[in-house]
Amino acid sequence: MIAMGLLMADLLRYAVKALTERRLRALLTITGIAIGPLALVMMTSVVSGYTSYVEEQIMGLGQNLIVLFPQKEYRLSSKDIDFIKSIDGVEGVGAFYTTRGVIRSPHGEEEVTIYAVDMDLVFKAISGLDIMEGSKPSSSDTTAAIIGYKVAYDPVTGEKIYDIGDTIQVIVSEVVEAGKIKIKRVYVRVAAILEEYGGAMFLSPDSTIFLSLNAGRRLLDLDEWSGLLVLAKSPVYVDSITKKLRESYQDAARVISFIEIARIVNSVTAAMNFITFSTSLSAFAVATAGIAATMITSVIERTREIGVLKALGFTDRQVMALILCEGVIMSLIGCCIGITLGAIGANILASRGFTLRGVVEAKIYAPPSITPTLIIRTILITISIGIIGSLFPAYRASKIPPAVALRYE
């Protein structure tokens, strides 16, 4: 065992010496090898980081939450609420009105989303939604509002714009006829300010004004419910409730389950990861060819040297191990460089942010997901290409007869 260890140490030293004697060629080969790990780490970590962020935000909006939107000419009524309440697994149902509005800020006009809804149901459905200042208004108060963090605070400077008790003028536009838009100014009083939530998917609490359900008709002059919020007792019931609703309403209403959306995102991520991995494999394939070309050239140039080694007692396996060591060493150096540059590139790429367009448009930032699994997989793939690329040159070197090698010029 000790002799084997000494032999491996000698082989490694000899391999490093052989590479340093051909520095430029080795450097170019290592550069080609580094491209594969760089692409794999950078692309995979950025995609995984943003995907994890999106999934967390979707699930944060309510694992138990299902939203029903009327389609075509269908109008929701209290009968729909009674029917949905009768479905097994439903904990609560509430109607909501929603519209868009514009408020004034130090930087000009800012667009906000307005929801008139049962606030108790919203706080129960959306996890992590907490009040920072003030308190929830009563359901009978149609002008009292809970405002999001970015409504109360300037998103650029962090300066507080609206405080508890302040009045906010909201400009709401409504299409009344073809080509005609009705502008309405409504005034709401700040009853509470939410903690910063950070979501930017289908609902961004930070840029939202929440009013009581009665405000939808009395304050906003909205005649029809925009939809229904359905809260399941647990995530276990979500699929069965969603299926029942779709069977019952068919084309009359669109049913959205946030768990289903998270599953779709996960499926899309799996496809993107496969594409990323396949693209990276192309770089690894080029690196394999580069290693093979470098090593076969090295073997041809060192034919006499290999003959001397075999004349001194090196076996075919030892010669083969020597050439493989050179390929693996170049792969490991290229892997370290590629992973380092990939991690740096991933952080730079992620810092640019990603724009999501949902109910509101917002830019999100998510750190790259550089996991031990990703690093280990990258190292194993890179070592594998080093072995594969060196295998034929190593085999050819091991089969060189000592007498022929010694006569080689």
Side-chain angles (χ1 to χ4, degrees), residues 54-104:
V54 171
E55 288 181 343
E56 287 174 6
Q57 292 299 318
I58 291 173
M59 297 309 291
L61 288 176
Q63 297 186 46
N64 304 354
L65 185 61
I66 303 165
V67 185
L68 188 145
F69 294 100
Q71 298 291 301
K72 299 179 181 179
E73 302 299 324
Y74 189 80
R75 295 187 64 171
L76 295 169
S77 66
S78 58
K79 292 182 179 179
D80 294 287
I81 293 179
D82 294 337
F83 164 70
I84 295 173
K85 283 182 177 179
S86 67
I87 299 175
D88 184 41
V90 173
E91 181 178 344
V93 185
F96 67 90
Y97 300 92
T98 183
T99 187
R100 304 297 294 273
V102 174
I103 62 172
R104 297 191 181 278

Side-chain angles (χ1 to χ4, degrees), residues 183-218:
I183 302 297
K184 179 179 177 62
R185 287 178 170 80
V186 298
Y187 296 87
V188 298
R189 176 176 49 83
V190 179
I193 300 172
L194 294 173
E195 294 274 3
E196 188 171 10
Y197 188 82
M201 308 296 122
F202 306 93
L203 166 65
S204 177
D206 292 336
S207 303
T208 300
I209 296 176
F210 292 98
L211 300 166
S212 66
L213 182 62
N214 291 331
R217 190 177 295 273
R218 296 180 184 177

Side-chain angles (χ1 to χ4, degrees), residues 119-262:
M119 295 189 190
D120 291 331
L121 186 63
V122 169
F123 277 87
K124 190 181 294 185
I126 303 177
S127 59
L129 199 63
D130 298 309
I131 291 177
M132 181 172 64
E133 297 180 44
S135 58
K136 282 191 290 185
S138 66
S139 58
S140 60
D141 193 339
T142 57
T143 59
I146 298 177
I147 63 174
Y149 186 87
K150 291 181 180 178
V151 178
Y153 290 85
D154 189 309
V156 178
T157 63
E159 181 185 354
K160 197 170 190 179
I161 304 172
Y162 296 108
D163 208 338
I164 304 299
D166 288 349
T167 300
I168 303 176
Q169 177 186 268
V170 186
I171 301 173
V172 180
S173 58
E174 178 187 359
V175 178
V176 290
E177 295 179 15
K180 292 185 178 181
I181 298 177
K182 176 184 176 183
I183 302 297
K184 179 179 177 62
R185 287 178 170 80
V186 298
Y187 296 87
V188 298
R189 176 176 49 83
V190 179
I193 300 172
L194 294 173
E195 294 274 3
E196 188 171 10
Y197 188 82
M201 308 296 122
F202 306 93
L203 166 65
S204 177
D206 292 336
S207 303
T208 300
I209 296 176
F210 292 98
L211 300 166
S212 66
L213 182 62
N214 291 331
R217 190 177 295 273
R218 296 180 184 177
L219 186 66
L220 302 175
D221 289 334
L222 298 175
D223 296 327
E224 301 178 14
W225 290 338
S226 301
L228 296 176
L229 297 179
V230 182
L231 186 63
K233 292 178 180 177
S234 78
V236 176
Y237 292 100
V238 170
D239 286 337
S240 60
I241 295 171
T242 302
K243 183 180 178 181
K244 178 68 175 176
L245 291 174
R246 286 174 180 162
E247 289 175 350
S248 302
Y249 286 94
Q250 297 183 4
D251 295 335
R254 181 160 53 99
V255 181
I256 296 177
S257 159
F258 290 106
I259 285 183
E260 287 185 338
I261 295 173

Side-chain angles (χ1 to χ4, degrees), residues 1 10 16 25 45 91 110 113 131 160 171 179 184 208 241-242 258 263 269 286-287 290 292 297 302 315 349 409:
M1 185 65 70
D10 289 336
V16 171
R25 184 188 301 161
S45 62
E91 181 178 344
E110 298 288 340
T113 306
I131 291 177
K160 197 170 190 179
I171 301 173
K184 179 179 177 62
T208 300
I241 295 171
T242 302
F258 290 106
R263 289 174 188 158
T269 303
V286 173
T297 304
R302 296 158 60 195
T315 64
L349 193 61
E409 290 296 338

